[in-house]
């Protein structure tokens, strides 16, 4: 990363809208005649240890506005970052954390930290006349690659009015030889699954927050089985061409020490046992948040799914290097989801990738359910060599913006495709 190429001359925060139509924080950073703008995404199934997303309350946007918050912090944030080297994410992180003092950015908010730190990165790239991914090369000691995509086919949980308990059934095009082929296969699987659902009498025009199909399945099992059938319907081999991944988002099903499962209340071992059975029945290569964020017993049981399966932590690690290191010590997983706005700054997200790869864990750069039309997440995945990316479906423009950026980079940047080797094993 080339430093010293431009000090932040100005920083402006403003209220924008995310893909759900909710207000979010945008930042525009200026360096001489160059500038960069970034919007913070927002989760619906946010973990309780994430950097905070502070909303105004009151009447504007049903209490979800951020304009008053911006007015409260604008001048202090501006003063803190002016003069900081925009090409140094750790310097920007240091300035923001010195201003806030709280690990979860309880004063300025993770949305402000995310928007400012990403905008600084984009402004620095623009000032240096390079693509954003190029500025990150070296930051994680991993070579840049085009990531293996993990694509949402069927949605449930907090992204689809709770019609099934688990949040996402995704496909992973493990047999594809290029990023373009991978996306085409996922698009075909979505169409194949849609045909399977239409034949079963479900309405298929309604889509969930991330563009997934949202049908009122009788059970989680039926949803997984429909995606496996959709892979075959697409003319692809379930398992060897296209495998299946789940985001159980188990924190959303957990209350009072028990899980809600198909209308019943069950223990951690019972909940994890159902995942084990799914793995025997379906070609599953990755399980995300198979236990709730603070359920140590559940995570210890999930560890037994390794090494064949990618055991991926989202709410468990909230893109925090310290939490990733604790997970590594416990030996409970082998992969971490990377969401910059969980960390609150770009630098902390980079540190989480470094912590993961130091132990041979995989990293999956991820969008949120409340996304934006921006493309920097694709550059983050490429420049850090993360190896995997999860953005939602192959439709909805806030999703396709990222896929299209990667399709363009595959055409023009001469980057290798990470492919199935990026999946965690171990
Ligand atoms: P969220 O969902 O953005 O609503 O948290 C994405 C995920 O859980 O991976
Ligand atoms: Zn998740």
């Amino acid at each position: 990363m080339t430093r010293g190429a431009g000090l932040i001359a100005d920083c402006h925060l403003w209220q924008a809208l995310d893909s759900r139509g909710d207000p979010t924080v945008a930042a525009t950073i200026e360096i001489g005649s160059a500038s960069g703008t970034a919007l913070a995404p927002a989760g619906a199934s946010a973990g309780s240890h994430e950097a905070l997303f502070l909303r105004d309350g009151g009447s504007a946007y049903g209490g979800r506005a951020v304009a008053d918050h911006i007015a409260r912090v604008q001048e202090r944030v501006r003063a803190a970052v002016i003069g900081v080297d925009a090409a140094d994410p750790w310097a920007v992180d240091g300035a923001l954390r010195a201003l806030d003092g709280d690990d979860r950015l309880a004063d300025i908010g993770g949305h402000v930290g995310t928007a400012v730190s990403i905008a600084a990165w984009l402004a620095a790239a623009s000032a240096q006349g390079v693509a954003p991914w190029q500025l990150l090369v070296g930051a994680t000691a991993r070579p840049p690659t085009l990531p293996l995509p993990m694509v949402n086919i069927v949605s449930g949980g907090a992204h689809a009015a709770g019609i099934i308990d688990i949040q996402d059934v995704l496909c992973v095009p493990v047999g594809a030889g290029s990023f373009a082929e991978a996306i085409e296969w996922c698009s075909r699987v979505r169409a194949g699954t849609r045909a399977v659902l239409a034949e079963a009498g479900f309405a298929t025009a309604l889509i969930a927050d991330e563009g997934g199909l949202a049908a009122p399945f009788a059970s989680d099992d039926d949803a997984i089985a429909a995606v496996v059938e959709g892979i075959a319907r697409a003319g692809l081999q379930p398992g060897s061409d296209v495998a299946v991944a789940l985001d159980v988002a188990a924190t959303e099903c957990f209350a009072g020490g028990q899980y809600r499962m198909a209308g019943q209340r069950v223990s951690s071992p019972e909940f994890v046992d159902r995942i084990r059975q799914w793995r025997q029945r379906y070609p599953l290569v990755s399980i995300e948040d198979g236990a709730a964020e603070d359920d140590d017993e559940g995570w210890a049981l999930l560890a037994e799914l390794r090494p064949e399966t990618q055991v991926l932590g989202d709410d468990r690690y909230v893109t925090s290097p310290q939490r990733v290191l604790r997970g590594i010590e416990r030996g409970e997983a082998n992969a971490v989801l990377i969401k910059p706005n969980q960390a609150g700054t770009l630098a902390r997200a980079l540190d989480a990738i470094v912590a993961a790869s130091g132990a041979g864990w995989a990293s999956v750069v991820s969008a949120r359910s409340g996304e934006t039309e921006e493309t920097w997440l694709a550059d983050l995945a490429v420049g850090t060599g993360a190896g995997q990316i999860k953005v939602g479906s192959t439709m909805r423009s806030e999703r396709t913006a990222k896929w299209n950026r990667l399709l363009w980079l595959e055409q023009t940047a001469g980057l290798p495709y990470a492919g199935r080797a990026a999946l965690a094993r171990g």
Side-chain angles (χ1 to χ4, degrees):
M1 192 170 297
T2 314
R3 308 247 167 89
L7 304 183
I8 294 173
D10 208 352
C11 170
H12 180 67
L13 303 180
W14 46 287
Q15 175 171 278
L17 297 181
D18 73 12
S19 60
R20 270 193 282 256
D22 280 337
T24 189
V25 174
T28 298
I29 290 215
E30 290 173 21
I31 304 171
S33 60
S35 71
T37 289
L39 277 61
S45 60
S48 60
H49 307 291
E50 295 190 15
L52 295 173
F53 198 112
L54 304 168
R55 299 194 184 274
D56 294 345
S59 58
Y61 288 103
R64 302 182 71 73
V66 294
D68 290 350
H69 176 72
I70 287 173
R72 190 172 71 75
V73 301
Q74 167 89 266
E75 274 318 306
R76 286 187 293 133
V77 170
R78 189 168 170 269
V81 299
I82 284 178
V84 173
D85 182 355
D88 183 347
W90 292 273
V92 175
D93 175 271
L96 293 171
R97 290 189 190 276
L99 171 64
D100 191 297
D102 177 75
D103 198 53
R104 292 167 65 213
L105 300 178
D107 179 15
I108 64 169
H111 44 14
V112 169
T114 302
V116 169
S117 60
I118 300 284
W121 162 41
L122 301 178
S126 170
Q128 293 184 30
V130 298
W133 69 266
Q134 291 174 302
L135 208 58
L136 298 180
V137 173
T140 62
R142 296 171 69 96
T145 53
L146 291 159
L148 170 72
M150 188 183 274
V151 174
N152 180 306
I153 303 296
V154 165
S155 295
H159 296 174
I163 53 178
I164 51 172
D165 288 339
I166 56 177
Q167 186 169 283
D168 302 337
V169 184
L170 308 103
C171 75
V172 186
V174 290
S178 69
F179 181 77
E181 185 173 50
I183 287 296
E184 199 275 330
W185 285 10
C186 295
S187 171
R188 258 203 274 169
V189 170
R190 192 186 192 284
T193 308
R194 184 176 179 174
V196 168
L197 295 190
E199 279 166 27
F202 290 122
T204 58
L206 301 178
I207 59 171
D209 285 0
E210 297 193 355
L213 295 159
F217 293 98
S219 67
D220 289 359
D221 257 273
D222 282 4
I224 304 169
V227 173
V228 177
E229 207 182 325
I231 295 169
R233 187 68 66 93
L236 295 159
Q237 196 60 42
S240 56
D241 287 334
V242 179
V244 175
L246 301 179
D247 181 2
V248 181
T251 307
E252 299 289 309
C253 313
F254 193 67
Q258 286 194 308
Y259 288 92
R260 184 190 70 241
M261 186 175 98
Q264 315 262 318
R265 304 214 63 83
V266 300
S267 66
S268 292
E270 288 170 295
F271 192 77
V272 174
D273 198 51
R274 184 178 59 153
I275 294 173
R276 205 176 288 121
Q277 288 169 25
W278 282 337
R279 201 184 51 163
Q280 279 159 10
R281 233 174 289 151
Y282 306 111
L284 293 181
V285 289
S286 179
I287 309 281
E288 177 181 338
D289 280 1
E293 57 191 3
D294 294 324
D295 178 16
D296 292 344
E297 183 188 9
W299 280 94
L301 292 166
L302 284 170
E304 295 166 15
L305 299 178
R306 300 169 314 142
E308 301 83 19
T309 306
Q310 176 166 276
V311 177
L312 174 60
D314 172 9
D315 293 352
R316 178 75 166 172
Y317 305 123
V318 291
T319 316
S320 153
Q322 288 77 17
R323 283 178 177 272
V324 170
L325 290 173
R326 200 180 317 150
I328 289 166
E329 262 168 43
R330 292 169 184 253
E332 62 190 17
N334 54 21
V336 57
L337 209 71
I338 300 293
K339 291 169 164 171
N341 81 316
Q342 283 181 328
T345 62
L346 172 62
R348 192 167 279 198
L350 296 173
D351 288 343
I353 295 174
V354 170
S357 53
W361 280 29
S363 295
V364 183
V365 167
S366 173
R368 301 306 304 247
S369 52
E371 254 305 315
T372 79
E373 63 276 21
E374 298 183 328
T375 59
W376 50 262
L377 194 80
D379 282 70
L380 179 67
V382 168
T384 59
Q388 297 180 64
I389 189 168
K390 176 187 173 207
V391 165
S393 179
T394 49
M395 59 164 58
R396 290 187 62 137
S397 302
E398 76 277 8
R399 317 285 152 190
T400 55
K402 282 73 166 173
W403 303 138
N404 290 340
R405 173 74 179 151
L406 292 167
L407 289 167
W408 165 251
L409 290 177
E410 184 163 64
Q411 287 283 309
T412 59
L415 292 159
Y417 173 55
R420 76 170 306 155
L423 284 168
R425 236 164 277 109

